[in-house]
Amino acid sequence: MDTNVTNVSYLSMIRCIRNPDKSGSLIGNLLLLLGTLIFMSAAENDFMKAAEVNLQNNALHEQMHEWRKIYNERFKQASAQFSNLELARERAARLRWKTIEQLDRYLIEFEANFIKSGGKVFWAQDGTDALVEILNIIKRNNVHTIIKSKSNTVSEINLNKVLETENVNVVETDVADFILQYEEESSTHMVMPALHKNKEQLKKFYHERFDLPENVSTDEMVKFTRDLLSEEFYNAGVGITGANFLVADPGAIIISENEGNALLCSSSPRIHIVICGIDKIVPALSDIDLMLPLLSTYGIGQAMSAYNHVISGPKQQDEKDGPEELYVILLDNGRSNVLEREVQRQALRCIGCGACQTKSDLYNLIGGNVYGGPIQAITAPLMMDTAEYKFLSDAQTLGEGVNEICPVKIDFRKLLLQNRYDFVQQGLTSRNERWFYYAWKKAMLKRELMRWTGFKTRKHIMESLLKSKEGLRKMPSSAPKSFNQQWREKK
């Protein structure tokens, strides 16, 4: 059975409801929607419920639209620093591909050089291994407060929830994550985690949570947050950060940021723990002069991040600042599953800039607190190694925009189609699903089957299934006669 017939996904159907002029075949969309209802997994069901809530959030869509406009303007200005941007992308893609193809060599080289500098390295096969090591460090040092800077890798292992069950106080130090932590919202996969919050919502938050005046200014909110976090920086026993890159030679950690909080997380506490995916490595320090400008340009439309740190080990005897103990946890957590796929392993070239999210219609419709964007659609089903999450590869549309914006030239379209093909070949689809697409293909290829129910019946079923909910666009009225009927009458 040809899996390419599934290019129109059920989440594309959601987009069609909001943009009815882009909807596809009436009977085709109807069959796809019915198929979705037949074989929806638990994870898929949760995803759809959360997506439906955000789909009706017009304020979110307006803010996402405004951010894309700002990003495009900033990107145009920042990319002017490259005399030949396409050449820079080509160099970065080749560098990352070379690294991924020799990943074992560079990881061992990093470990050896990092240990020479006094650091310690732990290899974590999955999130559980990483959490066990972190809890051992915390308990061994009798730590009760941890400061943390934003990292998708840290969020990946649900660190905050685990530490809370151990009665360890975790303080988010990025301003946006600090706000979301109090409101118990997830910031996973979001380059701009508080993008869905406008100024009035932030004022309300500070007024209700910290009793600041209702008309508090932006400067006052920033000052209050800075003063509040300052105490935490110097009282915490452990600082936890991610890393943008690991450098094999000389065994260094690279952290790029704009707030300065990651520097304080890595230097103020006595212990610094870095959690980083095994795919984030580059061969040499000289490679950073290419990767950091690309990361900031494509990530936030900025020529260079305000703070870029190179950390090669814990505090030495002749140094006044820095942690006494420095640990790096190299997290696999399914990345080896991606690496063993000859085609999909190129997804590990990703540098985590989030540029592909700006070009994903699905991401901009339902937000980053629900959906991680095109790169997650490729890697998550493979990393999880379960059919339960394969719906993510079906959810992402196949537009070329994400390919054009990727700084390391990942071919998202090709990898998504390869995922879908592999799932069918591996028998990860249910019997109901296989029969459904068999029937769908037969109906699409034979006019007599499409006309079997009659146009009025199909029209009634479609309008009933896609009955507009509050906050969504109304479905346009169908023509009184089908195109086929009108064509026959005309000719």
Side-chain angles (χ1 to χ4, degrees), residues 404-422:
E404 295 169 359
I405 197 66
C406 180
V408 289
K409 308 191 80 167
I410 296 172
D411 191 341
F412 291 92
R413 180 185 176 91
K414 178 181 178 180
L415 303 191
L416 286 166
L417 287 174
Q418 187 65 43
N419 267 12
R420 298 176 187 180
Y421 177 80
D422 288 349

Side-chain angles (χ1 to χ4, degrees), residues 126-311:
D126 53 29
T128 301
D129 288 349
L131 291 169
V132 168
E133 294 296 346
I134 294 169
L135 289 174
N136 286 340
I137 295 170
I138 291 171
K139 291 177 180 178
R140 187 167 61 244
N141 292 276
N142 196 28
V143 172
H144 300 288
T145 300
I146 288 175
I147 52 176
K148 180 168 109 33
S149 69
K150 177 174 174 56
S151 167
N152 284 339
T153 309
V154 176
S155 302
E156 183 182 316
I157 61 175
N158 293 318
L159 178 64
N160 287 23
K161 291 183 179 179
V162 174
L163 292 180
E164 286 170 6
T165 61
E166 296 292 330
N167 296 319
V168 177
N169 181 33
V170 181
V171 180
E172 295 286 356
T173 60
D174 289 76
V175 174
D177 287 287
F178 168 80
I179 295 168
L180 295 182
Q181 182 184 27
Y182 276 100
E183 298 198 340
E184 298 182 347
E185 290 188 33
S186 169
S187 64
T188 307
H189 310 303
M190 301 174 76
V191 176
M192 297 289 180
L195 189 62
H196 58 299
K197 302 287 185 182
N198 58 37
K199 189 180 293 185
E200 296 306 315
Q201 289 173 314
L202 296 180
K203 287 181 178 180
K204 182 180 179 182
F205 163 76
Y206 277 93
H207 171 66
E208 294 178 352
R209 185 76 194 189
F210 301 111
D211 201 28
L212 268 62
E214 290 188 27
N215 60 343
V216 60
S217 68
T218 303
D219 290 341
E220 288 172 332
M221 288 189 286
V222 172
K223 183 180 184 303
F224 175 84
T225 307
R226 183 176 63 238
D227 293 342
L228 184 64
L229 290 176
S230 294
E231 296 182 16
E232 304 292 353
F233 282 124
Y234 295 104
N235 292 332
V238 171
I240 297 180
T241 70
N244 294 97
F245 300 103
L246 300 176
V247 185
D249 182 15
I253 303 158
I254 308 297
I255 301 177
S256 183
E257 55 161 338
N258 274 314
E259 295 183 28
N261 61 302
L263 175 61
L264 291 171
C265 284
S266 63
S267 59
S268 295
R270 193 176 68 82
I271 300 170
H272 177 204
I273 301 174
V274 177
I275 307 174
C276 187
I278 59 174
D279 54 315
K280 293 300 182 184
I281 200 153
V282 293
L285 203 57
S286 58
D287 298 320
I288 296 302
D289 67 348
L290 170 65
M291 303 310 298
L292 285 183
L294 279 173
L295 176 63
S296 55
T297 297
Y298 279 86
I300 53 176
Q302 189 172 316
M304 183 65 79
S305 297
Y307 304 98
N308 297 282
H309 317 298
V310 181
I311 303 171

Side-chain angles (χ1 to χ4, degrees), residues 361-381:
D361 292 336
L362 181 61
Y363 179 90
N364 289 300
L365 276 175
I366 64 178
N369 60 336
V370 175
Y371 176 58
I375 194 66
Q376 187 206 29
I378 296 168
T379 59

Side-chain angles (χ1 to χ4, degrees), residues 93-147:
R94 288 180 179 275
L95 171 65
R96 293 292 294 140
W97 182 247
K98 167 191 169 184
T99 307
I100 296 304
E101 287 291 287
Q102 304 179 64
L103 189 58
D104 54 345
R105 167 195 162 187
Y106 289 118
L107 286 171
I108 293 171
E109 184 179 350
F110 166 80
E111 180 185 33
N113 290 328
F114 188 68
I115 291 174
K116 287 178 184 178
S117 301
K120 299 178 182 179
V121 177
F122 292 113
W123 297 74
Q125 185 69 29
D126 53 29
T128 301
D129 288 349
L131 291 169
V132 168
E133 294 296 346
I134 294 169
L135 289 174
N136 286 340
I137 295 170
I138 291 171
K139 291 177 180 178
R140 187 167 61 244
N141 292 276
N142 196 28
V143 172
H144 300 288
T145 300
I146 288 175
I147 52 176

